[in-house]
Amino acid sequence: MRVKAQMAMVMNLDKCIGCHTCTVTCKQVWTNRPGTEYVYFNNVETKPGIGYPKRYEDQEQWHGGWTLDRKGRLQLRAGGRLRKLLSIFYNPDLPSIDDYGEPWTYDYQRLIDAPLGTENPTAHSISALSGRDMDMQWGGNWDDDLAGATEHAVRDPNLTNMEQHVQMEFEQAFMFYLPRICEHCLNPSCVASCPSGAMYKRDEDGIVLVDQDRCRGWRFCVSGCPYKKVYFNHRTGKAEKCTLCAPRIEVGQPTICSETCVGRLRYLGLILYDADKVLEAAASRDPHDLYEAQLSLMLDPDDPQVQAEATRQGISDDWLEAARRSPTYALAARHRVALPLHPEYRTMPMVWYIPPLSPVADIVHAAGYDEADPDKVFATIDALRIPIEYLANLFTAGDTEPVRRVLRKLAAIRATMRAEQLGLEPNEELASAVDTSPTELRDLYRLLAIAKYDERYVIPMTHAEDAGRLLAQHEQMFCSLDAQGGPGMGVTEPAGPGGHTFRADDGREHFNLLGWDGASTSPHLFPDPGAAEGGPS
Amino acid sequence: MTDADRDLLAPLVPGGEPVEQLLRKAQFFVPGRPSPDYREVHREGGRQAEEFWHERWRHDKVVRSTHGVNCTGSCSWKVYVKDGIITWETQQTDYPSVGPDSPEYEPRGCPRGASFSWYTYSPSRVRYPYVRAPLLEMWREARRRGEDPVTAWTGISRDPERSTRYKQFRGKGGFVRASWPEVVELVAAAHVATVRDYGPDRVVGFSPIPAMSQVSYSAGTRFLSMIGATILSFYDWYADLPPASPQVFGDQTDVPESGDWWNSSYLMLWGTNLPITRTPDAHFMTEARYRGQKVVVVSPDFSDHTKFADDWLPCAPGTDGALAMAMGHVVLTEFFRDRQVPYFTDYAKRFTDLPFLVTLREHDGGYLPDHFLTAADLEGDAATAEGAAHKTVVLDADGTPRVPNGSLGFRYTESGMGRWNLDLGEVDPLLTLYGTHDEAVTVDLTRFDLGETEGGSAVRRGVPVTRVGGRLVTTVFDLLMAQYAVPRAGLPGTWPKGYDDPQPYTPAWQEQITSVPAAAAARVAREFARNAELSHGRSMIAMGAGTNHWYHSDQIYRTFFTLLMLCGCEGVNGGGWAHYVGQEKVRPLTGFQNLAFGLDWQRPTRHMTGTSFFYLHTDQWRYERFGAGELASPLGHGRFGGRAFADCIVAAGRMGWTPSHPAFNRNPLDLADEAARAGRPASDHVVEELKAGRLRFADEDPDDPANFPRVLTIWRANLLGSSGKGMEYFMRHFLGIEDAVRAEETPEDVRPTEVTWREQAPRGKLDLVTTLDFRMTSTCTHADIVLPAATWYEKHDISTTDMHPFVHSFNPAIAPPWEAKTDFETFRLIGEAFSRLAAEHLGTRTDVVATPLMHDTPDEAALPGGNTLDWKHGDCEPVPGLTMPRLVTVERDYAAVAQKMAAVGPLLDTLGTTVKGVNVKPAVAVEFLARKNGRVRGGVGDGRPALTRDVHLAEALLALSGTTNGALAVQGWQDLERRTGVRLADLAEERAEDRITFADTQVQPRAVITSPEWSGSETGGRRYAPFVVNVERLKPWHTLTGRMQFYLDHEWMQEYGEALPVYRPPLNYLRFYGDQGVGDPGRPEITVRYLTPHSKWSIHSEYQDNLHMLRLFRGGPVIWMSPADAAKIEVRDNDWIEAFNRNGVVACRAVVSHRMPEGTVFMYHAKDRHLMTPRSEISGWHGGGDNSLTRLIIKPTHLIGGYAQLSWGFNYYGPTGNQRDEVTVIRRRSQEVQF
């Protein structure tokens, strides 16, 4: 067991109001710079819709993420490193600026400088790239609120095979919002795709970053990420991506997108997982098993064995305590109401989503309503407008059962609490019908509804006194999950334990990547648990 | 390693390329120093690259501020500063806690606010004072010649050739920089010259929504008040005022804070899209759902809020009243007729006018509901008692007439002292006469779903009656049952046979109109009422622009209120109406009102209803096709026959119902001089002159140059680009430039009879338009002078809202950059320059101010019975303050204006402060201010507390208000205790020692104190809900009966058939204007309902030009339409289209979406013309903003005054600038556009 701590996020889509505040605050803080005009570390998409960039979810087209080869082995969908080398000057999987929409600005100055006699001075759009007059055709949120849905949303990859019962008609309209940041995956295909070794997953908290010094702008991370959450800065020629607000997380502050989320739908907290099992989980044969496989990686922070092992591996007590209090673990694992986004990409994403309820499809005949009983005010979840199949395509690789279970649990909370506050006859069976207890429903209610700041965000602070230990990671060539078939894939041969280090000319000890089997411990590749105390364990 | 792991391991490269070679290749990609064996690459850098992000995040300081835009958010923000530059903003999360069992008010903010800092350094930031070149050249020339500034101004503005020279270039570029002293002198000179030559009321100021930057608002209005200028209202003008609130509650608007949604167990969102328009608070709704709240959304489209609904009722636009009538029908049938709910019945008896008696008068073989029975109608002593004509009557359980406490007759009378309360004592009023009645008659009631005209038709239904004092009477409840068509056995008349019978007002009937299935309407009504029964009133309706921006919005709202009042929801936490559009709660109301309007130095102020002002002075009245009579009920006396809307404005002004400024066709300063010369009081002089016909009201001839508004100052506002309904008419008549109006002028037979029609309408009435702003809006581009304003991150101010119970502050993160100045500083400079020039040109003058009969004063009792008495038509004598405006003289020492602005005046000590009828003498607070702010030395303010800095004004606002000064709250409650005789002071006693200072608000948002300035209670930390004090403490509403009123017996209400709640459909413009298309062959057109909801990407026009917002959607103005409509005109998503009607044209892009219903289009409102506005194919001129398609139309009932709650108050009652009844034609345009 290799216990790792991952800072994970849960977003409750049932609370998302689609306001895009997260997008703007993130933009202002991080990508309000030349070269990043079109870059949204955080964006919000209307679903159904084709997203940003266009149809990024269609991996038949973009070849992002992982797939299994014929023997069931994990491989990058876009092909291995050789394929990359061959296509390094022409990457067919790279979205063009038209897929993002050319960024625009306006000739604002005209409003003030217009010479006398200018009829109705009005600022008009010009390209932010070329400065020339520009006719906008697409942008970061072009299809907000089903705008242009009859032309765009119909091409939503999640609607594949649902054409029969989802039509873009007023009577059937449904929508919800999907805020997205980098998934900070446990099995990140962007990292594995980088030919420069410039991407890495931080050992202490799992944040995936691009090393701006090392990035050479090959953009394989852009195409390798199935979520298209790595962007190319056309000014610096380097890739950039969501940092999970690392500078804030390190000091115990929530990410900008979380703290400024006025829907109060984001949660941040640690998830402990077994790094040894990531590849196995990611290689589950049946895509329907991927959600459970991903859950199975999570280690119960209340389990004394896990605690002991984590401590042994150098995870500090306050981090363990944070893991125990973690709202993301609670929502994803304990209550099982949060689901991963597109687990079929096999990257083991670490931003989880609670699927949304929706209005009933038929206000007159909705199942659950009783004409004669005005106290039965909620319809059954099978009467809702958002097709469960659609949600399943997003969150469970098409398996509707887990989605149905979550929605039923949300409905059970509502019914239970309504009965309680109005003094109605409580339905004793509700909790057990959704495989839980009244106590758990109440805990979940508190987490979802009351959602106080310090319960939404449980973020342990970095032990800066260990800076030296963290620096050791600079020396690693590939990422911390760099194993055969794994992110960096920097290894060709399995090797027996031992003999992985050597002392280089500068006198420092280095890890021999070529000799590492990707599974055994890897001194100096990961921060040494004992380094702070002054020596390898 | 497990077997599975081993399975996964495969050679990287098919064929097993040696790794060394791979690494050698990798050198190309990975610069660095390879180890000799190529097994490793040493590189510099690595995790220190993370330093880039650390550096990006690093900042020097964080400053608390907020956004003072016309938005009710009032969110506290953290503004980050790095190297002296504002970098970005994020929300504060430090609001005082709501308690352990509720979500908190954190964070509060929205994407628009989050993008604000873009403006600070944006290319459209106004950095310097600008004047349009021709004006500045003439000014400089005149000043170079040595002309005195005032003379220079008159020389330029009065000379037709010279004034045309600068006016014709308005909106056409040519700004040049000027210095602050130069431009301030110009502005001041224009003010002085206008006051001297035309009258102070020809100087006009417009600034809206003070709550969100109270100091900045007050800075300007304080100056304008001192000089006697006309200050325009905004709440009614914006159509955000819900006139039904004063009509029913006697209150401007009082609504629950958003945290109270949490307490509701049944929430209907009906015309307000909370995620878009109440973004920071929407979470309380989403979270309350987990507490078991049911959410029902009524909206014509599938929108952001519909997503959260359990049920979505897709109601056709503007027909909400029909749906609500049907719901009322269900509630009355099932919860009042078939079964009685004790909670509902008891509530109705105590807190509504339902048990009160209404007289019936004979009409056409039946009867009509007439006036409330009052004590004056009774026999014996009651009839002659003080205030009898304003004391309404109930029948006790035994059938005895009773005059319960609490009606208007108890409010201002000596004998009413201690009796203005809702304590019924032993009286148990009869709600209905049914069952005890021995007689039933038919009454004729209006219905508007059918009819030859907009005035509808009638239906005849029976009510049980009895006789009191010789008069035939019934109860309001029985009338309501008849109005809502709830059959009761044995009553005569036409009744529906059941819910399925499509007669008014059954569920089946509404289905034909609204398209909401009858069964769904009935079920929701039943659930709503049942929830209220179980929870004792915790059913809530959140409403807003979607249902309020209609011509007949008051009727729509009254049908909503019916549901709420019947179910006992008002005055209950978690229940009641929640009106969320434009509501602007200045929580420290008392301090604000007194300081903003200079009441500490002189009273009264010239307040004016914005809508009537703009209707007349932008000459929109000249483009009518029908008059007030068109809308009047056939059951009325026909009093509106042949009257134009402008006639109604004139009549209402003349009768003292509503303000009228500019007031007379003569300078009011000259009127005072004339009176002095004649040796008689000014008011006598004015009355005599009016009677003799030598003096006229200015609004009787708005096109007479003597009556033009001359000087307009706009701050904190985008009048032309945002709120200017009938934008193109503004262009034509106000400014005198090109426009896109296609409408023809009113045909002769429908022209006003009391307003002079001049063959040639004037163009360019305004001499000077000055705008203070920080961004170049089209109000700026059309102004003569633009002054650079400090942004909200560059000044001190305070902010409050309805949405939360906190007061918090603006603070400068940086100094105002370039030459920007705070509004406070700008008006200080203008005031000082004005005073200097005034010393020579004006001196001390006496001003005659005409003020209407005011709400919350004894004026409310001026006109018993709500009858119309028009002295002009010989109904009565003109008596100031009774049958015509009060005429008050005010001495104005014009040279001392600046000194007065800068000191707290003495009237606070002598007269105290009076707000909503509660008087307080804030002596201690004034003394505190003198110590806190320091004292003025010298001049007229010698020794008074200083108001020389913006923080002084903020401090004074807080110190003088009960909500922020506990001692004053207690005093106020004590004053009210004397009048009501009920215990109230304890509501504030727990915080009697608290005083929230400006410094407190800088530290953290502070929770306000329960004060008689408002009707709800925060006592003990509870959530604010309106009317809690009325319900829990039996304090009357400020209405005729003292209760919430279903019935409005004013004569004009009766003429309009609106004495009771009723469904009135949207105005049928097609009936009057026909097809407004251009009919080019081969160019298909459609005519559609044109709605202008609030934008997702802006707060009104603010942020709609902000790059961050623009990039988050389509980059410019759009019109949303359904695929079906788009197909009819061969439009695809993102095509350029033109929308046009008689009022103007809009050229923009189409958004095609199936979330839109067929036949209705949306254009987000306040699309300013300074961004992405191409030249129109149709007009040949630049298409305008959304208001290019709108035009004002007046609802005469909004002009009523002098009668209880239907008395005028600033932003309390007045015609609304409704705009949703409009239709537009749309066609595809050439895809080549020119800007």
Side-chain angles (χ1 to χ4, degrees), chain A residues 443-479:
Chain A
D443 288 349
L444 189 50
Y445 157 75
R446 183 184 168 87
L447 201 47
L448 298 179
I450 311 284
K452 301 279 185 187
Y453 187 98
D454 62 352
E455 294 186 16
R456 300 206 299 283
Y457 314 125
V458 179
I459 303 163
M461 285 180 267
T462 297
H463 283 265
E465 68 275 19
D466 288 353
R469 186 170 73 166
L470 295 174
L471 274 172
Q473 202 168 342
H474 297 172
E475 305 307 322
Q476 77 179 72
M477 183 166 167
F478 301 115
C479 95

Side-chain angles (χ1 to χ4, degrees), chain A residues 398-522:
Chain A
D399 183 6
T400 53
E401 218 26 63
V403 176
R404 187 169 283 116
R405 191 172 42 73
V406 176
L407 296 181
R408 287 179 67 207
K409 203 172 261 189
L410 297 182
I413 295 173
R414 298 185 69 197
T416 308
M417 294 304 296
R418 182 173 181 82
E420 184 179 309
Q421 70 158 316
L422 292 180
L424 299 169
E425 196 67 36
N427 183 346
E428 303 290 353
E429 273 118 58
L430 262 181
S432 56
V434 292
D435 302 326
T436 183
S437 67
T439 327
E440 273 190 45
L441 278 187
R442 180 159 284 279
D443 288 349
L444 189 50
Y445 157 75
R446 183 184 168 87
L447 201 47
L448 298 179
I450 311 284
K452 301 279 185 187
Y453 187 98
D454 62 352
E455 294 186 16
R456 300 206 299 283
Y457 314 125
V458 179
I459 303 163
M461 285 180 267
T462 297
H463 283 265
E465 68 275 19
D466 288 353
R469 186 170 73 166
L470 295 174
L471 274 172
Q473 202 168 342
H474 297 172
E475 305 307 322
Q476 77 179 72
M477 183 166 167
F478 301 115
C479 95
S480 56
L481 288 170
D482 201 353
Q484 179 62 46
M489 298 192 308
V491 189
T492 52
E493 297 288 332
H500 306 315
T501 62
F502 60 92
R503 197 167 293 277
D505 301 346
D506 60 4
R508 283 191 288 171
E509 200 168 40
H510 293 269
F511 178 62
N512 184 346
L513 282 165
L514 300 178
W516 184 47
D517 64 3
S520 57
T521 56
S522 49

Side-chain angles (χ1 to χ4, degrees), chain B residues 87 167 413 563 764 1118:
Chain B
T87 53
K167 288 181 182 179
T413 51
L563 298 173
V1118 296

